[in-house]
Amino acid sequence: MAGRDLKALFSTNDRSVEAGEAFTNRHMQWELVAAALSDHLRHTAGPTFDVEDLEAPRDNVMVFHGVGGIGKSTLSRKLEAALTGADHRPAQWGEPTWAGERILPVRIDLSRSAGTDFEQLVLTIRAALSTLGRPLPAFDLALRRYWEQQHPGESLEEYLRRGGLVGRFGKAMPQQMQAAMADVAQALLLPGSIGSAVGQVTGSLVRALRERRQTVRALARCARLADLLEAEPDLDSLSFYPHLLAWELAQLPADKRVTPVILLDTFEDVGDRTHRDLERLIQRVAWLMPNAYFIVTGRSRLQWADPALQGQLDYTGPTAWPGLAGTAIAVPAARTPGTTVGGRGRQVLVGDFSPEDCDDYLARRLSRDGQPLINAAIRQTITDRSHGLPLYLDLSVLRFLEIRRTREPAPADFDHDFGALIARTLSDLTHDERHVLRSISLLDAFDLTLATAAAGLAHEAPAQRLIERPFIREQPFGLWPYHLHGLIRSTIRSADDATDDRWTERDWQQAAGRALAALGSQWTASEATGRDRMLLVGCLRQGLPLARDFRLDLGWLADAAWAYVSDSVWEPIAPPARPGGTTGLETAADALVELLAALARRQHEHRSVTASRLTSVTSSGLLPADLQQMAVYYLAKAHRDLGQSAASRQGMQLVADGGGRLAPAARRGLVHLARLAGDFPTAYDTAQTLGWASRQHRVEGDILWPHGDMNRAAAAYTTARDQAEHYGVAGERATSQAQRAFVLAFTDPDTADDELDLADQLLNGLDLRATTLTTKIAALVRDAGALSSLDAARLLRADITEAGVTAAQAALELALCFHHAVQDDHAKISAAISRLRDLTRGGDYAYYIDIAQFMAAMPLNRASAAQWLDSEQETRSRWRSLVTARQAYLDARH
């Protein structure tokens, strides 16, 4: 059923432009319809089906729901065409399984603009059945009686003509109704003059039915006909007449049998969820016509299976409507691979278009000489911005034509929001629901409590109603289960809002403050009951951009930042860029965002980049004193990793003297700096004063292993790991275990295997680049003397160079020295020592050259300034023993 896009056609004077009404494949929705309709046909053809059974559950309704502009009405029209005949069905949809069955699609637009009321809905169904070419006397008599009572003196034929039904279905319906009257009058032997008086005909018929006369035995089989003809012919009675239609359809001979498929479009305009008068009448039609199939399209799910609606609707609950109960089927974009269609669920969420479908849609909407008028670059921009929403594609097409009147459109013209999307989204929401919607647009994800608090409401009902809307997507396994459709969210946040209840800048500012406070409340509550790292990171990811974009005070974010760094896990935390593309640090929130982002990214960037970012934070002076110390401390760590010991020492001393939360860590940093310079006695003595807060035992291990004292170092690392586990500090636990694996790799390769496995387990889910490099170096040490090639070492050297961690570069070269010493390859160990000299020109780690010479039993050439804990000779002896022990180990294995 191809057509023309009239809006596009009348938006340009260029007659060479072809504006087609593009329809993007909705194959999966068709599969669901075909499967459901096949089930329905089998059910109605079965021996147990009884059209007059008013208690049996109903499974004759399917619902397609989705956000405004997703293409539900287009789908409804396409389904009507496909059910009409194979020539209107897309080839890729395939043949249905009901070949030979007669299907009669009847599409009814319930939109406010169409002005369809219940009376017209019933007349439309009857007019469509006039194509059967025969009267439906039970229904026709009841309808004729109703019409003369409710529309005295008004011609039914004229009414049908004005409503467009004559144009759709022809003039047969009034004639068939008149024929039904005449046939009944004749059967009752009424005079011709009386035959045209519907009241007397129906009165006589009721008496004949009560008396069970043989002359009306055909109609007598309709058990409830007499009751309906006796009832007051008002709108309520009219809603029960479809039972008579269903009965009449069941009486048709097999070769005339037909199954009506009634497509009710724009169901959201039937009424709101408080006033369900029209919905109750429509539901009654669906219940009383169990041999018809109903396909409903609208923005929301049908709630008929909700027992709470008892009293508002006639038939409610999951027993009455099993197909409408439970979780909706989510049909994704039409070309998403790997999706299966099945199950008995009859509530179907219509998904967004896939990127391929968006491009195909745009390419076919406007064309010239068979070629797409919208070029590929513009189509890509529109597709990326649309989030797969067809309405956005439509609006972009019209924008393309508008711009084209004066100049050639460019991709940048379509990085654009449309206020019309807001109007479509808000049109059927209550005031409170609109308020909640705008509030949650500030959040990436939310739950019922968070949405209510962000909106500042005292009751949850508006948020509860809102999450049932199709533009709210659910991810049951997420930290917060709900999120707003991406395009609708970005549009509400950024487009010009012309609605009457639009928010001012002050309204947005206050909503951001409420949302930030609500996030803080959730995190604070979790801290009171136990650590929840996932919630902490989630609250930071949502709270940081709120504070930054709306210039809010840090509040709970300061404490959350400390909690974030305390575990040394470093999940990605950086929010998207500020709207408008502005850069620079202007507020404390800006500086905190940059600080935490730099700390997380340092696992993936060269340390010089980290140092540069942290320098901009410390120089801004925007952070409160305690967070300023955090920035100074981690800047000092970056300087140390880069081999800039003087700058590192200055920063560490500043933090240590400040006496803040990181003072113990800064004192540890000063010990490390002493160790790097080779002043082991000072480092060791100071380490004894550090305690757990300054990681005393890990520091001891770091001092002991350069002396070749691997067993004592391993014991120190074990204590450090166990303490970290006791205090719940995952990053420290993994780092201590990695160091333990490293030192044991020198002494016992078999034990090192298990230690490295444990280190890998503890690193799982953490983002600790330096620690990961330690485990890779440890693996080389474990295999020293038996390495078949140095390819792994070369790759690892490239990784370390990219990270800019001097300590790891020196440790790698020392590991290679151990390997060459075990192999007794003096030429290669000399080359490695040469590389070590280049790395340690600044003085840090210079004692690694001494250790390399100890390993190879070489005399010291230009000894470092290292001050060993015991004697140089004892240190030499321990390192040489490690080499000879490894040689003996390898000889024994061969």
Side-chain angles (χ1 to χ4, degrees), residues 365-377:
R365 274 292 298 274
L366 298 177
S367 61
R368 176 191 286 151
D369 300 327
Q371 296 300 312
L373 188 64
I374 305 176
N375 66 45

Side-chain angles (χ1 to χ4, degrees), residues 485-506:
H485 185 282
L487 179 62
I488 292 173
R489 182 187 180 206
S490 66
T491 303
I492 288 175
R493 290 286 306 275
S494 57
D496 291 335
D497 187 346
T499 56
D500 291 339
D501 58 350
R502 61 186 177 275
W503 278 7
T504 65
E505 288 297 323
R506 178 65 176 165

Side-chain angles (χ1 to χ4, degrees), residues 104-108 118-132 136 139 143 160 165 168-169 173 242 245-246 249 260-264 282 285-286 289 292 294:
L104 178 63
V106 186
R107 184 173 177 274
I108 301 174
F118 182 71
E119 194 174 78
Q120 188 171 13
L121 181 146
V122 174
L123 290 174
T124 300
I125 297 173
R126 174 60 184 91
L129 292 173
S130 67
T131 58
L132 297 175
L136 303 174
F139 176 84
L143 180 61
L160 296 175
L165 297 180
R168 286 182 66 184
F169 304 112
M173 177 181 160
L245 271 183
L249 290 172
V261 176
I262 301 169
L263 300 106
L264 302 175
I282 294 175
V285 173
M289 296 187 71
F294 293 80

Side-chain angles (χ1 to χ4, degrees), residues 294-339:
F294 293 80
I295 300 176
V296 175
T297 45
R299 293 191 185 180
S300 303
R301 301 178 65 200
L302 283 186
Q303 296 179 304
W304 297 354
D306 185 351
L309 293 185
Q310 187 173 13
Q312 296 187 63
L313 301 175
D314 291 349
Y315 313 96
T316 57
T319 301
W321 304 97
L324 302 182
T327 304
I329 298 175
V331 177
R335 295 181 184 170
T336 301
T339 302

Side-chain angles (χ1 to χ4, degrees), residues 128-366:
L129 292 173
S130 67
T131 58
L132 297 175
R134 57 190 298 154
L136 303 174
F139 176 84
D140 289 350
L141 282 171
L143 180 61
R144 185 63 180 267
R145 178 169 175 261
Y146 168 86
W147 190 260
E148 293 203 356
Q149 179 74 22
Q150 298 298 325
H151 299 269
E154 183 177 1
S155 165
L156 177 60
E157 185 173 3
E158 179 60 29
Y159 182 89
L160 296 175
R161 180 181 292 108
R162 289 200 310 270
L165 297 180
V166 170
R168 286 182 66 184
F169 304 112
K171 302 179 180 180
M173 177 181 160
Q175 298 169 4
Q176 292 171 4
M177 293 178 67
Q178 190 61 39
M181 285 279 294
D183 290 345
V184 171
Q186 184 178 0
L188 294 172
L189 302 178
L190 296 174
S193 60
I194 295 179
S196 60
V198 66
Q200 296 183 48
V201 173
T202 55
S204 299
L205 177 58
V206 168
R207 287 192 295 273
L209 292 171
R210 299 295 190 197
E211 295 168 3
R212 302 182 183 276
R213 297 181 197 171
Q214 282 296 106
T215 55
V216 292
R217 62 183 180 277
L219 290 175
R221 292 199 299 270
C222 183
R224 296 175 178 87
L225 176 58
D227 297 303
L228 288 172
L229 291 177
E230 285 182 324
E232 179 68 23
D234 54 18
L235 191 65
D236 195 59
S237 295
L238 177 65
S239 68
F240 288 98
Y241 293 174
H243 169 72
L244 303 176
L245 271 183
W247 182 83
E248 291 280 14
L249 290 172
Q251 310 313 306
L252 295 175
D255 60 338
K256 299 291 185 180
R257 188 162 296 161
V258 66
T259 298
V261 176
I262 301 169
L263 300 106
L264 302 175
D265 189 29
T266 326
F267 202 83
E268 68 270 13
D269 281 0
V270 163
D272 60 42
R273 296 189 173 191
T274 303
H275 304 93
R276 296 179 181 267
D277 296 339
L278 179 54
E279 184 179 4
R280 183 175 67 254
L281 300 177
I282 294 175
Q283 189 209 51
R284 199 173 285 167
V285 173
W287 185 270
L288 297 176
M289 296 187 71
N291 48 355
Y293 200 79
F294 293 80
I295 300 176
V296 175
T297 45
R299 293 191 185 180
S300 303
R301 301 178 65 200
L302 283 186
Q303 296 179 304
W304 297 354
D306 185 351
L309 293 185
Q310 187 173 13
Q312 296 187 63
L313 301 175
D314 291 349
Y315 313 96
T316 57
T319 301
W321 304 97
L324 302 182
T327 304
I329 298 175
V331 177
R335 295 181 184 170
T336 301
T339 302
T340 58
V341 177
R344 289 197 61 232
R346 301 292 191 240
Q347 304 258 30
V348 183
L349 177 63
V350 181
D352 303 322
F353 283 176
S354 68
E356 297 90 346
D357 282 331
C358 289
D359 186 76
D360 183 58
Y361 183 91
L362 292 168
R364 291 189 290 114
R365 274 292 298 274
L366 298 177

Side-chain angles (χ1 to χ4, degrees), residues 596-641:
L596 296 185
L599 296 184
R601 282 296 302 165
R602 73 194 179 112
Q603 309 299 329
H604 307 280
E605 294 175 337
H606 195 279
R607 284 295 193 267
S608 62
V609 176
T610 303
S612 176
R613 296 180 69 176
L614 292 177
T615 297
S616 69
V617 172
T618 58
S619 301
S620 71
L622 294 169
L623 290 172
D626 60 337
L627 290 176
Q628 178 74 1
Q629 287 200 356
M630 180 192 293
V632 171
Y633 170 76
Y634 282 101
L635 175 58
K637 285 193 69 173
H639 283 147
R640 187 183 71 204
D641 289 340

